[in-house]
Structure formats: C-alpha cells, structure tokens
mmCIF file of all heavy atoms in Angstrom:
data_model
loop_
_atom_site.group_PDB
_atom_site.id
_atom_site.type_symbol
_atom_site.label_atom_id
_atom_site.label_comp_id
_atom_site.label_asym_id
_atom_site.label_seq_id
_atom_site.Cartn_x
_atom_site.Cartn_y
_atom_site.Cartn_z
ATOM 1 N N HIS A 1 -72.201 0.717 26.966
ATOM 2 C CA HIS A 1 -72.904 0.375 25.722
ATOM 3 C C HIS A 1 -74.287 -0.193 25.997
ATOM 4 O O HIS A 1 -75.162 -0.147 25.127
ATOM 5 C CB HIS A 1 -72.040 -0.566 24.881
ATOM 6 C CG HIS A 1 -70.798 0.124 24.400
ATOM 7 N ND1 HIS A 1 -70.771 0.922 23.279
ATOM 8 C CD2 HIS A 1 -69.559 0.203 24.946
ATOM 9 C CE1 HIS A 1 -69.566 1.432 23.130
ATOM 10 N NE2 HIS A 1 -68.811 1.028 24.144
ATOM 11 N N ALA A 2 -74.507 -0.654 27.234
ATOM 12 C CA ALA A 2 -75.860 -1.064 27.614
ATOM 13 C C ALA A 2 -76.803 0.132 27.699
ATOM 14 O O ALA A 2 -78.026 -0.030 27.613
ATOM 15 C CB ALA A 2 -75.817 -1.804 28.949
ATOM 16 N N LEU A 3 -76.233 1.332 27.869
ATOM 17 C CA LEU A 3 -77.057 2.534 27.910
ATOM 18 C C LEU A 3 -77.610 2.916 26.538
ATOM 19 O O LEU A 3 -78.562 3.690 26.438
ATOM 20 C CB LEU A 3 -76.229 3.705 28.456
ATOM 21 C CG LEU A 3 -75.717 3.564 29.887
ATOM 22 C CD1 LEU A 3 -74.814 4.735 30.253
ATOM 23 C CD2 LEU A 3 -76.886 3.446 30.865
ATOM 24 N N ARG A 4 -76.997 2.382 25.495
ATOM 25 C CA ARG A 4 -77.480 2.606 24.123
ATOM 26 C C ARG A 4 -77.399 1.253 23.415
ATOM 27 O O ARG A 4 -76.505 0.992 22.632
ATOM 28 C CB ARG A 4 -76.606 3.629 23.414
ATOM 29 C CG ARG A 4 -77.204 4.162 22.114
ATOM 30 C CD ARG A 4 -76.144 4.922 21.327
ATOM 31 N NE ARG A 4 -76.720 5.706 20.260
ATOM 32 C CZ ARG A 4 -75.996 6.259 19.280
ATOM 33 N NH1 ARG A 4 -74.669 6.106 19.259
ATOM 34 N NH2 ARG A 4 -76.586 6.959 18.336
ATOM 35 N N PRO A 5 -78.350 0.376 23.664
ATOM 36 C CA PRO A 5 -78.167 -1.055 23.364
ATOM 37 C C PRO A 5 -78.427 -1.474 21.915
ATOM 38 O O PRO A 5 -79.150 -2.442 21.662
ATOM 39 C CB PRO A 5 -79.147 -1.719 24.325
ATOM 40 C CG PRO A 5 -80.252 -0.735 24.465
ATOM 41 C CD PRO A 5 -79.597 0.612 24.430
ATOM 42 N N HIS A 6 -77.823 -0.765 20.973
ATOM 43 C CA HIS A 6 -77.867 -1.256 19.602
ATOM 44 C C HIS A 6 -77.040 -2.535 19.523
ATOM 45 O O HIS A 6 -75.876 -2.565 19.966
ATOM 46 C CB HIS A 6 -77.289 -0.220 18.634
ATOM 47 C CG HIS A 6 -78.141 0.990 18.460
ATOM 48 N ND1 HIS A 6 -79.367 0.949 17.835
ATOM 49 C CD2 HIS A 6 -77.934 2.295 18.800
ATOM 50 C CE1 HIS A 6 -79.891 2.164 17.799
ATOM 51 N NE2 HIS A 6 -79.045 3.003 18.389
ATOM 52 N N PRO A 7 -77.579 -3.615 18.968
ATOM 53 C CA PRO A 7 -76.842 -4.886 18.966
ATOM 54 C C PRO A 7 -75.487 -4.804 18.265
ATOM 55 O O PRO A 7 -74.503 -5.381 18.740
ATOM 56 C CB PRO A 7 -77.797 -5.835 18.219
ATOM 57 C CG PRO A 7 -79.157 -5.244 18.418
ATOM 58 C CD PRO A 7 -78.944 -3.763 18.436
ATOM 59 N N GLY A 8 -75.425 -4.104 17.137
ATOM 60 C CA GLY A 8 -74.154 -4.000 16.421
ATOM 61 C C GLY A 8 -73.102 -3.260 17.211
ATOM 62 O O GLY A 8 -71.924 -3.650 17.244
ATOM 63 N N GLN A 9 -73.522 -2.183 17.858
ATOM 64 C CA GLN A 9 -72.600 -1.409 18.703
ATOM 65 C C GLN A 9 -72.084 -2.269 19.846
ATOM 66 O O GLN A 9 -70.881 -2.262 20.159
ATOM 67 C CB GLN A 9 -73.321 -0.180 19.250
ATOM 68 C CG GLN A 9 -72.497 0.665 20.198
ATOM 69 C CD GLN A 9 -73.266 1.884 20.700
ATOM 70 O OE1 GLN A 9 -74.043 2.491 19.970
ATOM 71 N NE2 GLN A 9 -73.069 2.234 21.960
ATOM 72 N N ARG A 10 -72.976 -3.025 20.451
ATOM 73 C CA ARG A 10 -72.594 -3.917 21.557
ATOM 74 C C ARG A 10 -71.549 -4.929 21.082
ATOM 75 O O ARG A 10 -70.545 -5.172 21.751
ATOM 76 C CB ARG A 10 -73.836 -4.645 22.060
ATOM 77 C CG ARG A 10 -73.585 -5.696 23.127
ATOM 78 C CD ARG A 10 -74.731 -6.697 23.148
ATOM 79 N NE ARG A 10 -74.854 -7.409 21.873
ATOM 80 C CZ ARG A 10 -76.014 -7.868 21.394
ATOM 81 N NH1 ARG A 10 -77.141 -7.693 22.048
ATOM 82 N NH2 ARG A 10 -76.031 -8.515 20.224
ATOM 83 N N ASP A 11 -71.772 -5.507 19.904
ATOM 84 C CA ASP A 11 -70.845 -6.529 19.405
ATOM 85 C C ASP A 11 -69.473 -5.942 19.086
ATOM 86 O O ASP A 11 -68.439 -6.565 19.375
ATOM 87 C CB ASP A 11 -71.423 -7.198 18.163
ATOM 88 C CG ASP A 11 -72.635 -8.071 18.478
ATOM 89 O OD1 ASP A 11 -72.870 -8.363 19.665
ATOM 90 O OD2 ASP A 11 -73.340 -8.461 17.521
ATOM 91 N N SER A 12 -69.450 -4.755 18.490
ATOM 92 C CA SER A 12 -68.164 -4.133 18.173
ATOM 93 C C SER A 12 -67.407 -3.758 19.444
ATOM 94 O O SER A 12 -66.187 -3.965 19.537
ATOM 95 C CB SER A 12 -68.376 -2.891 17.296
ATOM 96 O OG SER A 12 -68.651 -3.268 15.962
ATOM 97 N N ALA A 13 -68.109 -3.212 20.427
ATOM 98 C CA ALA A 13 -67.451 -2.857 21.685
ATOM 99 C C ALA A 13 -66.901 -4.103 22.377
ATOM 100 O O ALA A 13 -65.791 -4.090 22.938
ATOM 101 C CB ALA A 13 -68.435 -2.130 22.601
ATOM 102 N N THR A 14 -67.666 -5.197 22.328
ATOM 103 C CA THR A 14 -67.197 -6.459 22.915
ATOM 104 C C THR A 14 -65.928 -6.935 22.220
ATOM 105 O O THR A 14 -64.967 -7.368 22.869
ATOM 106 C CB THR A 14 -68.294 -7.530 22.808
ATOM 107 O OG1 THR A 14 -69.443 -7.099 23.528
ATOM 108 C CG2 THR A 14 -67.813 -8.861 23.366
ATOM 109 N N ASN A 15 -65.921 -6.848 20.904
ATOM 110 C CA ASN A 15 -64.717 -7.232 20.159
ATOM 111 C C ASN A 15 -63.516 -6.402 20.568
ATOM 112 O O ASN A 15 -62.410 -6.924 20.775
ATOM 113 C CB ASN A 15 -64.947 -7.066 18.652
ATOM 114 C CG ASN A 15 -65.662 -8.241 18.031
ATOM 115 O OD1 ASN A 15 -65.803 -9.300 18.627
ATOM 116 N ND2 ASN A 15 -66.125 -8.065 16.811
ATOM 117 N N MET A 16 -63.717 -5.105 20.687
ATOM 118 C CA MET A 16 -62.595 -4.225 21.003
ATOM 119 C C MET A 16 -62.087 -4.470 22.418
ATOM 120 O O MET A 16 -60.877 -4.448 22.670
ATOM 121 C CB MET A 16 -62.985 -2.771 20.762
ATOM 122 C CG MET A 16 -63.232 -2.472 19.282
ATOM 123 S SD MET A 16 -63.554 -0.738 18.927
ATOM 124 C CE MET A 16 -61.947 -0.033 19.269
ATOM 125 N N ARG A 17 -62.993 -4.711 23.368
ATOM 126 C CA ARG A 17 -62.549 -5.062 24.724
ATOM 127 C C ARG A 17 -61.734 -6.349 24.703
ATOM 128 O O ARG A 17 -60.702 -6.463 25.362
ATOM 129 C CB ARG A 17 -63.756 -5.249 25.663
ATOM 130 C CG ARG A 17 -64.452 -3.986 26.090
ATOM 131 C CD ARG A 17 -65.345 -4.218 27.302
ATOM 132 N NE ARG A 17 -66.271 -5.332 27.141
ATOM 133 C CZ ARG A 17 -67.465 -5.230 26.574
ATOM 134 N NH1 ARG A 17 -67.877 -4.062 26.077
ATOM 135 N NH2 ARG A 17 -68.252 -6.279 26.495
ATOM 136 N N ARG A 18 -62.208 -7.304 23.924
ATOM 137 C CA ARG A 18 -61.528 -8.601 23.847
ATOM 138 C C ARG A 18 -60.134 -8.450 23.246
ATOM 139 O O ARG A 18 -59.168 -9.046 23.728
ATOM 140 C CB ARG A 18 -62.390 -9.545 23.010
ATOM 141 C CG ARG A 18 -61.936 -10.989 22.995
ATOM 142 C CD ARG A 18 -62.983 -11.836 22.302
ATOM 143 N NE ARG A 18 -64.236 -11.825 23.052
ATOM 144 C CZ ARG A 18 -65.449 -11.935 22.504
ATOM 145 N NH1 ARG A 18 -65.568 -12.047 21.199
ATOM 146 N NH2 ARG A 18 -66.514 -11.935 23.266
ATOM 147 N N VAL A 19 -60.010 -7.655 22.191
ATOM 148 C CA VAL A 19 -58.715 -7.470 21.530
ATOM 149 C C VAL A 19 -57.730 -6.765 22.450
ATOM 150 O O VAL A 19 -56.536 -7.073 22.455
ATOM 151 C CB VAL A 19 -58.898 -6.680 20.215
ATOM 152 C CG1 VAL A 19 -57.544 -6.287 19.624
ATOM 153 C CG2 VAL A 19 -59.690 -7.507 19.200
ATOM 154 N N LEU A 20 -58.211 -5.819 23.249
ATOM 155 C CA LEU A 20 -57.324 -5.016 24.103
ATOM 156 C C LEU A 20 -57.056 -5.641 25.463
ATOM 157 O O LEU A 20 -56.236 -5.115 26.239
ATOM 158 C CB LEU A 20 -57.915 -3.615 24.287
ATOM 159 C CG LEU A 20 -57.916 -2.736 23.021
ATOM 160 C CD1 LEU A 20 -58.755 -1.497 23.232
ATOM 161 C CD2 LEU A 20 -56.493 -2.366 22.629
ATOM 162 N N ALA A 21 -57.705 -6.748 25.768
ATOM 163 C CA ALA A 21 -57.534 -7.374 27.086
ATOM 164 C C ALA A 21 -56.075 -7.748 27.338
ATOM 165 O O ALA A 21 -55.399 -8.288 26.466
ATOM 166 C CB ALA A 21 -58.416 -8.618 27.186
ATOM 167 N N ASP A 22 -55.609 -7.423 28.514
ATOM 168 C CA ASP A 22 -54.243 -7.750 28.955
ATOM 169 C C ASP A 22 -53.169 -7.033 28.145
ATOM 170 O O ASP A 22 -52.043 -7.530 28.000
ATOM 171 C CB ASP A 22 -53.997 -9.259 28.908
ATOM 172 C CG ASP A 22 -54.949 -10.037 29.800
ATOM 173 O OD1 ASP A 22 -55.228 -9.562 30.916
ATOM 174 O OD2 ASP A 22 -55.442 -11.102 29.368
ATOM 175 N N SER A 23 -53.494 -5.844 27.663
ATOM 176 C CA SER A 23 -52.498 -5.023 26.970
ATOM 177 C C SER A 23 -51.681 -4.229 27.986
ATOM 178 O O SER A 23 -52.233 -3.454 28.772
ATOM 179 C CB SER A 23 -53.194 -4.049 26.011
ATOM 180 O OG SER A 23 -52.289 -3.053 25.570
ATOM 181 N N THR A 24 -50.375 -4.430 27.953
ATOM 182 C CA THR A 24 -49.496 -3.668 28.845
ATOM 183 C C THR A 24 -49.527 -2.189 28.488
ATOM 184 O O THR A 24 -49.532 -1.328 29.386
ATOM 185 C CB THR A 24 -48.061 -4.203 28.756
ATOM 186 O OG1 THR A 24 -48.059 -5.575 29.154
ATOM 187 C CG2 THR A 24 -47.120 -3.423 29.662
ATOM 188 N N LEU A 25 -49.559 -1.883 27.208
ATOM 189 C CA LEU A 25 -49.591 -0.474 26.795
ATOM 190 C C LEU A 25 -50.843 0.228 27.309
ATOM 191 O O LEU A 25 -50.787 1.400 27.713
ATOM 192 C CB LEU A 25 -49.523 -0.368 25.264
ATOM 193 C CG LEU A 25 -48.134 -0.536 24.639
ATOM 194 C CD1 LEU A 25 -48.244 -0.654 23.128
ATOM 195 C CD2 LEU A 25 -47.230 0.634 25.018
ATOM 196 N N ILE A 26 -51.955 -0.462 27.309
ATOM 197 C CA ILE A 26 -53.186 0.134 27.831
ATOM 198 C C ILE A 26 -53.112 0.266 29.349
ATOM 199 O O ILE A 26 -53.467 1.312 29.924
ATOM 200 C CB ILE A 26 -54.412 -0.711 27.422
ATOM 201 C CG1 ILE A 26 -54.637 -0.629 25.901
ATOM 202 C CG2 ILE A 26 -55.663 -0.244 28.157
ATOM 203 C CD1 ILE A 26 -55.008 0.731 25.383
ATOM 204 N N SER A 27 -52.641 -0.767 30.004
ATOM 205 C CA SER A 27 -52.583 -0.704 31.475
ATOM 206 C C SER A 27 -51.620 0.374 31.941
ATOM 207 O O SER A 27 -51.822 0.996 32.995
ATOM 208 C CB SER A 27 -52.187 -2.061 32.054
ATOM 209 O OG SER A 27 -50.883 -2.437 31.650
ATOM 210 N N GLU A 28 -50.550 0.627 31.191
ATOM 211 C CA GLU A 28 -49.607 1.677 31.557
ATOM 212 C C GLU A 28 -50.241 3.059 31.515
ATOM 213 O O GLU A 28 -49.766 3.989 32.188
ATOM 214 C CB GLU A 28 -48.386 1.647 30.627
ATOM 215 C CG GLU A 28 -47.423 0.515 30.926
ATOM 216 C CD GLU A 28 -46.228 0.518 29.987
ATOM 217 O OE1 GLU A 28 -46.261 1.267 28.973
ATOM 218 O OE2 GLU A 28 -45.263 -0.221 30.248
ATOM 219 N N GLN A 29 -51.308 3.198 30.732
ATOM 220 C CA GLN A 29 -51.980 4.502 30.685
ATOM 221 C C GLN A 29 -52.833 4.757 31.925
ATOM 222 O O GLN A 29 -53.276 5.876 32.177
ATOM 223 C CB GLN A 29 -52.876 4.610 29.428
ATOM 224 C CG GLN A 29 -52.195 4.276 28.109
ATOM 225 C CD GLN A 29 -50.857 4.973 27.964
ATOM 226 O OE1 GLN A 29 -50.771 6.187 28.071
ATOM 227 N NE2 GLN A 29 -49.807 4.187 27.733
ATOM 228 N N LYS A 30 -53.074 3.709 32.674
ATOM 229 C CA LYS A 30 -53.948 3.828 33.834
ATOM 230 C C LYS A 30 -53.172 4.024 35.142
ATOM 231 O O LYS A 30 -53.761 4.382 36.157
ATOM 232 C CB LYS A 30 -54.822 2.572 33.953
ATOM 233 C CG LYS A 30 -55.729 2.362 32.746
ATOM 234 C CD LYS A 30 -56.503 1.058 32.851
ATOM 235 C CE LYS A 30 -57.398 0.855 31.646
ATOM 236 N NZ LYS A 30 -58.127 -0.419 31.686
ATOM 237 N N SER A 31 -51.865 3.773 35.079
ATOM 238 C CA SER A 31 -51.062 3.942 36.295
ATOM 239 C C SER A 31 -49.617 4.158 35.906
ATOM 240 O O SER A 31 -49.195 3.857 34.786
ATOM 241 C CB SER A 31 -51.179 2.695 37.185
ATOM 242 O OG SER A 31 -50.685 1.571 36.504
ATOM 243 N N GLY A 32 -48.829 4.664 36.799
ATOM 244 C CA GLY A 32 -47.402 4.805 36.565
ATOM 245 C C GLY A 32 -47.063 6.064 35.796
ATOM 246 O O GLY A 32 -47.822 7.029 35.730
ATOM 247 N N ALA A 33 -45.897 6.022 35.176
ATOM 248 C CA ALA A 33 -45.337 7.223 34.547
ATOM 249 C C ALA A 33 -46.120 7.680 33.341
ATOM 250 O O ALA A 33 -46.015 8.839 32.927
ATOM 251 C CB ALA A 33 -43.890 6.952 34.150
ATOM 252 N N HIS A 34 -46.903 6.793 32.735
ATOM 253 C CA HIS A 34 -47.594 7.151 31.492
ATOM 254 C C HIS A 34 -49.099 7.277 31.691
ATOM 255 O O HIS A 34 -49.887 6.968 30.806
ATOM 256 C CB HIS A 34 -47.316 6.100 30.417
ATOM 257 C CG HIS A 34 -45.861 5.928 30.129
ATOM 258 N ND1 HIS A 34 -45.103 6.887 29.495
ATOM 259 C CD2 HIS A 34 -45.022 4.893 30.407
ATOM 260 C CE1 HIS A 34 -43.851 6.451 29.370
ATOM 261 N NE2 HIS A 34 -43.775 5.249 29.933
ATOM 262 N N THR A 35 -49.500 7.721 32.879
ATOM 263 C CA THR A 35 -50.925 7.825 33.176
ATOM 264 C C THR A 35 -51.653 8.621 32.100
ATOM 265 O O THR A 35 -51.202 9.682 31.671
ATOM 266 C CB THR A 35 -51.140 8.508 34.542
ATOM 267 O OG1 THR A 35 -50.463 7.746 35.541
ATOM 268 C CG2 THR A 35 -52.628 8.592 34.868
ATOM 269 N N PHE A 36 -52.812 8.091 31.674
ATOM 270 C CA PHE A 36 -53.618 8.725 30.625
ATOM 271 C C PHE A 36 -54.085 10.094 31.107
ATOM 272 O O PHE A 36 -54.733 10.213 32.138
ATOM 273 C CB PHE A 36 -54.829 7.829 30.315
ATOM 274 C CG PHE A 36 -55.657 8.298 29.159
ATOM 275 C CD1 PHE A 36 -55.275 7.991 27.859
ATOM 276 C CD2 PHE A 36 -56.817 9.029 29.361
ATOM 277 C CE1 PHE A 36 -56.059 8.401 26.788
ATOM 278 C CE2 PHE A 36 -57.587 9.458 28.305
ATOM 279 C CZ PHE A 36 -57.207 9.132 27.002
#
C-alpha cells in the first residue's frame, strides 16, 4: 500500500491487517493441509 500511498487506503489496509492478526484460519491457508 506504500506503492500507492493514498491515506485512506493505507488506513483501511492497516485496519484489516490489525483485525486479521493472529487468525488461525488465515495462518492455515499459508501452511499445512489447507494451503492457499
């Protein structure tokens, strides 16, 4: 998002990263049987 630094876009992306932090469902998509 720094590559397209609209302030509103940056804030929304930050919010979404914060909400999804430490999600087991998300981490399971990155490794194991449910790889994305």
Side-chain angles (χ1 to χ4, degrees):
H1 294 277
L3 297 175
R4 193 193 194 193
H6 290 292
Q9 177 180 324
R10 175 202 62 210
D11 291 346
S12 283
T14 299
N15 278 347
M16 294 185 69
R17 286 197 308 274
R18 189 172 296 149
V19 171
L20 291 169
D22 300 320
S23 167
T24 300
L25 281 170
I26 292 295
S27 63
E28 285 180 349
Q29 308 312 305
K30 299 176 180 178
S31 62
H34 302 290
T35 302
F36 186 82

